[in-house]
Amino acid sequence: MAISDWPAAERPREKLLQRGAEVLSDAELLAIFLRTGARGRTAVDLGRELLGASGGLRGLLDMPLSKLRSQPGLGNARLAQLLGALELGRRYLAAEMVREHSLTKPDDAGRFLMAKLRHYPHEVFACLFLDNKHRVLAFEELFRGTIDGAAVYPREVVRRSLEHNAAALILAHNHPSGVAEPSEADRSITRRLVEALGLVDIRVLDHLV
């Protein structure tokens, strides 16, 4: 049965407009972007299949582009819509970070940095540069490496901090392996950066993994 034949209250688009996006399942939200199904399957069926094949919404949205292209039912138009929606979400989080108020909630920084870094298949080391009121000045991905590690140079972090006239930093890097526990190497580079930045009166507020 086509979605157009469903009761109006059960159709994903109508349900969203009447009751809000939060009541929709992941498959129904995907159906909003997919718009139509394929080969006798509704858009909701297709959404369920995509989620099942990727292990859930996060697995689907974290897929490399090359693998997303191979997913059944995801042609160029649908893929462009999906990737565009994902980027809108990232930019929304980024916009929240650069408002005039001070950054007072660590969770805000955590959500933003997770959205920026978690999809990379290799390690990325990044910095969130803050002024003396903890307002965001800039975000930069400074170093990239293999899945096993990224070479981090304190001198470069100090240089970029001074160029941004930062008073404080939040450091972050991803673990593509999925292990969130900081390694001894992570603790070592954090200590080196705290010492190097301390020489120019710049504080390290946190190092998020």
Side-chain angles (χ1 to χ4, degrees):
M1 179 186 294
I3 288 178
S4 58
D5 296 326
W6 293 6
E10 296 302 318
R11 300 172 197 163
R13 184 173 59 187
E14 284 77 0
K15 188 190 294 189
L16 183 149
L17 293 174
Q18 293 173 9
R19 298 166 56 191
E22 65 275 6
V23 305
L24 270 65
S25 68
D26 291 345
E28 289 172 324
L29 285 170
L30 279 174
I32 297 290
F33 292 102
L34 297 172
R35 299 182 62 184
T36 60
R39 297 178 184 176
R41 295 166 293 170
T42 68
V44 175
D45 293 332
L46 185 55
R48 291 191 185 114
E49 290 177 14
L50 287 169
L51 291 169
S54 57
L57 187 60
R58 180 170 178 174
L60 177 65
L61 298 182
D62 282 349
M63 269 189 191
L65 180 58
S66 58
K67 192 171 181 180
L68 273 173
R69 290 184 186 277
S70 67
Q71 298 304 301
L74 278 184
N76 286 338
R78 288 171 172 168
L79 186 57
Q81 287 178 302
L82 189 62
L83 294 176
L86 183 59
E87 182 59 23
L88 277 174
R90 292 194 186 109
R91 294 187 186 187
Y92 172 79
L93 290 172
E96 288 290 298
M97 298 294 296
V98 297
R99 289 180 176 175
E100 290 302 317
H101 61 72
S102 299
L103 180 62
T104 57
K105 297 179 181 178
D107 286 351
D108 291 343
R111 283 192 297 270
F112 170 74
L113 292 166
M114 183 182 295
K116 296 292 284 188
L117 301 179
R118 74 183 185 189
H119 64 288
Y120 287 118
H122 50 265
E123 285 205 14
V124 177
F125 182 91
C127 290
L128 201 59
F129 300 95
L130 309 172
D131 66 11
N132 59 1
K133 294 184 178 179
H134 295 175
R135 293 174 298 196
V136 176
L137 297 171
F139 167 81
E140 289 188 9
E141 297 174 6
L142 294 181
F143 309 108
R144 295 189 176 197
T146 66
I147 195 169
D148 297 318
V152 177
Y153 301 99
R155 180 177 179 179
E156 179 65 12
V157 177
V158 171
R159 185 182 71 83
R160 295 302 297 151
S161 300
L162 293 173
E163 289 181 358
H164 286 298
N165 196 28
L169 269 71
I170 294 177
L171 313 172
H173 76 279
N174 64 324
H175 279 181
S177 64
V179 178
E181 185 68 22
S183 66
E184 184 52 41
D186 296 336
R187 296 186 179 94
S188 176
I189 191 59
T190 300
R191 289 192 294 267
R192 291 172 59 199
L193 288 168
V194 168
E195 292 171 2
L197 290 160
L199 294 175
V200 289
D201 295 323
I202 298 174
R203 291 173 296 127
V204 175
L205 300 183
D206 204 348
H207 186 171
L208 303 175
V209 179

